[in-house]
Amino acid sequence: MLPFHGSNEPADCSDAPIELAPDVWWVGRRLPDDRFQCHAYYLRNGNNGVLIDPGSPLTIETTLAKVARIDDLSAIRYLVCHHCDPDIAAALPMLSERLSRPDIQVVTEWRAMALLRHYGHRFDYYLVEEQNWRLPLEGDRALEFQLTPYLHFPGAMVSYDTASRILFSSDLFGGFVPDAANLICRDLDVLIASAKPFHQHYMPSTELLSAGLTRVQQRWPQIAMIAPQHGHVVPGPLVEEAFSRLKALECGIFALADADIDLKRLLRIAEARSRLFQVLLSQAAPTQMLVTLKLVLQRIRGVRDCVLSIDLPDQGWTSWSGTPPEPRLEGPPPNWEQVELSTQPPTKLSLLIDDQIPVDEDVLRMLKDITPSLQSWIDGVVEEHQDHLRMLELKQQATTDPLTGLTNRRALEDDQPSGAYALLSFDIDFFNRSTTASAMRPVIRC
């Protein structure tokens, strides 16, 4: 019986297959002097075995030899290709010759299929989007799929074995490994350190990476192990924290821009513009708008703080500042850089610029460029303010006596005091006296 590595003992990449869970094996090959190790996995499934990310001509013979120690090669029915790169799929022509079974299918997504066919293999396709993102296996078991677009291929996907609860994450959680002999790594810092350069170069942005990882967790909240195509296998106790750490990793074009400060600055400004437009589309209140402005401007060098000021009808200048922003009846702060956002009504964004860093003209230009789009948002703020004033006026009319200015019975009913209290009633204008002669006598009320 092959070793089951559910314990705390490390699993070494030897010549033998390594059992990660019942009926789930690592069947990859360790290439000497290669930090870019590629992993293949095999799911034993009766006469319909599943080979996940089979590999390239450099690794396929070893992979097939390991599968043969688990199952007869004629049991291989499905070849899962999470994307179409050669390290995953270049062995397909060789498998066309080695595997004689006529009903073998390549399990993939349609965009990957468009490129996989150019390897010149003979296999048919099992397109996951046409099969409800699911490949039924024996019994209640299934291999489920989740699209992870642009991580790092438009049609990239990951898969999840419902029996073992192992996530086959393809390039996600992959890394360059100095210690390729150690398959399962239980040091989170080592895992993230190996994943960092891989993701920085292959994943397009932190936002896409974080969103993709979140969707995976939402789809499968109980992941017992992560088996990537590169790097180290992530054991169960590290799974949740590994997701959190990877979501926060700065990667893609922002990471590559570190060598070009000007490029990175322009990318940050473009990101700020995009986020501001998202807030405008939601018709956010001034408080929400200022919070967003602070967040996006803090990521751009040189802007230390900002204040949003609007000259509201019937109220005058009102400014939002602080954390959290609170409205104050005052105008824009003097001596700050002023960006005029509107003239009807006057609206200004005041920027506190760092004394040690020159004013970023591109930031000011970006803010001025979006001012035409701000007008509808400002109109909405003014309309909401006027509605608020009208509601206050109606409430005043409904709860106040117009002659004396005192609160009326309606106000008293709405604002009854708690606990014991006394009520004194005075008939100051003799309203209750009758106009008939018989009722002209004084009336004493208790």
Side-chain angles (χ1 to χ4, degrees):
M1 180 68 177
L2 295 168
F4 170 63
H5 288 284
S7 67
N8 291 325
E9 296 301 318
D12 293 332
C13 295
S14 62
D15 291 334
I18 296 174
E19 188 176 19
L20 301 177
D23 293 326
V24 182
W25 279 268
W26 172 83
V27 290
R29 177 190 174 187
R30 180 190 176 193
L31 296 173
D33 303 320
D34 186 0
R35 298 178 66 214
F36 193 64
Q37 296 294 327
C38 300
H39 303 313
Y41 303 95
Y42 183 71
L43 273 62
R44 184 165 59 184
N45 181 52
N47 198 39
N48 295 293
V50 182
L51 182 57
I52 296 176
D53 294 337
S56 74
L58 299 179
T59 60
I60 192 60
E61 291 297 340
T62 300
T63 292
L64 289 178
K66 291 182 178 182
V67 172
R69 298 180 62 174
I70 304 166
D71 240 345
D72 191 281
L73 293 183
S74 63
I76 299 176
R77 171 74 169 82
Y78 299 105
L79 306 172
V80 175
C81 291
H82 286 119
H83 56 78
C84 53
D85 282 0
D87 55 328
I88 276 181
L92 288 177
M94 297 177 66
L95 290 172
S96 295
E97 298 176 1
R98 291 291 306 276
L99 305 178
S100 58
R101 185 168 175 168
D103 60 347
I104 293 177
Q105 290 181 300
V106 174
V107 181
T108 194
E109 196 258 359
W110 70 269
R111 280 165 288 197
M113 181 195 70
L115 298 177
L116 288 171
R117 59 186 295 272
H118 288 277
Y119 285 109
H121 61 85
R122 64 171 180 81
F123 304 121
D124 291 331
Y125 290 95
Y126 182 100
L127 296 181
V128 292
E129 71 275 7
E130 296 178 357
Q131 305 295 332
N132 199 28
W133 299 89
R134 197 170 187 271
L135 175 64
L137 303 177
E138 284 193 332
D140 295 332
R141 186 182 189 185
L143 197 61
E144 298 177 342
F145 303 92
Q146 172 71 47
L147 189 67
T148 55
Y150 298 99
L151 300 173
H152 68 101
F153 172 74
M157 63 181 187
V158 298
S159 57
Y160 177 81
D161 175 24
T162 58
S164 65
R165 296 188 290 117
I166 293 178
L167 174 71
F168 299 97
S169 62
S170 185
D171 283 338
L172 293 175
F173 296 95
F176 297 104
V177 288
D179 182 15
N182 189 16
L183 178 63
I184 300 177
C185 180
R186 292 176 172 82
D187 187 326
L188 186 61
D189 291 333
V190 172
L191 284 168
I192 298 302
S194 66
K196 182 177 180 180
F198 183 84
H199 287 72
Q200 282 183 330
H201 287 269
Y202 286 91
M203 303 302 166
S205 74
T206 304
E207 288 76 14
L208 281 174
L209 177 60
S210 178
L213 291 171
T214 298
R215 284 195 294 268
V216 170
Q217 285 183 294
Q218 290 173 343
R219 175 83 182 275
W220 304 299
Q222 294 183 332
I223 297 174
M225 179 180 287
I226 301 172
Q229 196 223 340
H230 307 285
H232 296 295
V233 169
V234 183
L238 301 186
V239 166
E240 185 173 351
E241 184 62 24
F243 267 95
S244 298
R245 293 275 294 272
L246 202 61
K247 286 180 184 179
L249 187 65
E250 190 169 72
C251 61
I253 193 166
F254 289 109
L256 295 176
D258 281 335
D260 187 338
I261 299 301
D262 192 60
L263 173 59
K264 190 168 187 175
R265 179 181 60 86
L266 294 176
L267 288 169
R268 295 296 188 200
I269 294 172
E271 181 187 25
R273 180 199 299 264
S274 175
R275 292 193 177 188
L276 287 174
F277 274 120
Q278 290 175 8
V279 176
L280 290 175
L281 290 174
S282 67
Q283 287 292 305
T287 299
Q288 297 168 295
M289 172 61 80
L290 185 65
V291 169
T292 303
L293 282 166
K294 284 178 177 289
L295 288 175
V296 298
L297 293 176
Q298 282 171 1
R299 302 192 70 185
I300 302 173
R301 294 174 71 250
V303 181
R304 293 170 52 192
D305 200 358
C306 61
V307 172
L308 180 65
S309 304
I310 304 177
D311 190 1
L312 292 171
D314 302 318
Q315 181 168 308
W317 279 105
T318 304
S319 296
W320 288 264
S321 62
T323 305
E326 294 292 340
R328 298 198 305 271
L329 296 178
E330 61 183 30
N335 304 322
W336 287 31
E337 186 75 29
Q338 305 293 333
V339 179
E340 188 174 71
L341 302 180
S342 173
T343 58
Q344 293 295 329
T347 303
K348 293 184 179 182
L349 179 66
S350 306
L351 304 177
L352 179 58
I353 305 297
D354 195 318
D355 294 336
Q356 306 300 319
I357 302 174
V359 176
D360 192 328
E361 296 298 332
D362 288 314
V363 173
L364 299 179
R365 187 177 300 110
M366 180 271 291
L367 293 171
K368 291 175 182 177
D369 286 346
I370 69 170
T371 53
S373 302
L374 279 168
Q375 190 60 54
S376 61
W377 173 79
I378 294 170
D379 292 342
V381 171
V382 172
E383 184 177 349
E384 184 176 336
H385 171 69
Q386 291 175 332
D387 288 343
H388 177 67
L389 292 181
R390 283 193 289 269
M391 289 299 296
L392 290 178
E393 183 180 357
L394 290 173
K395 183 176 181 180
Q396 179 77 5
Q397 294 173 357
T399 59
T400 306
D401 178 69
L403 180 62
T404 63
L406 298 175
T407 53
N408 58 20
R409 177 178 177 178
R410 188 178 291 110
L412 292 174
E413 290 176 345
D414 290 342
D415 191 21
Q416 293 184 10
S418 59
Y421 65 91
L423 178 64
L424 298 178
S425 176
F426 296 93
D427 190 0
I428 60 175
D429 58 357
F430 303 106
F431 179 78
N432 286 323
R433 284 191 178 183
S434 172
T435 57
T436 64
S438 61
M440 291 299 289
R441 293 188 301 272
V443 177
I444 300 175
R445 297 179 182 273
C446 296

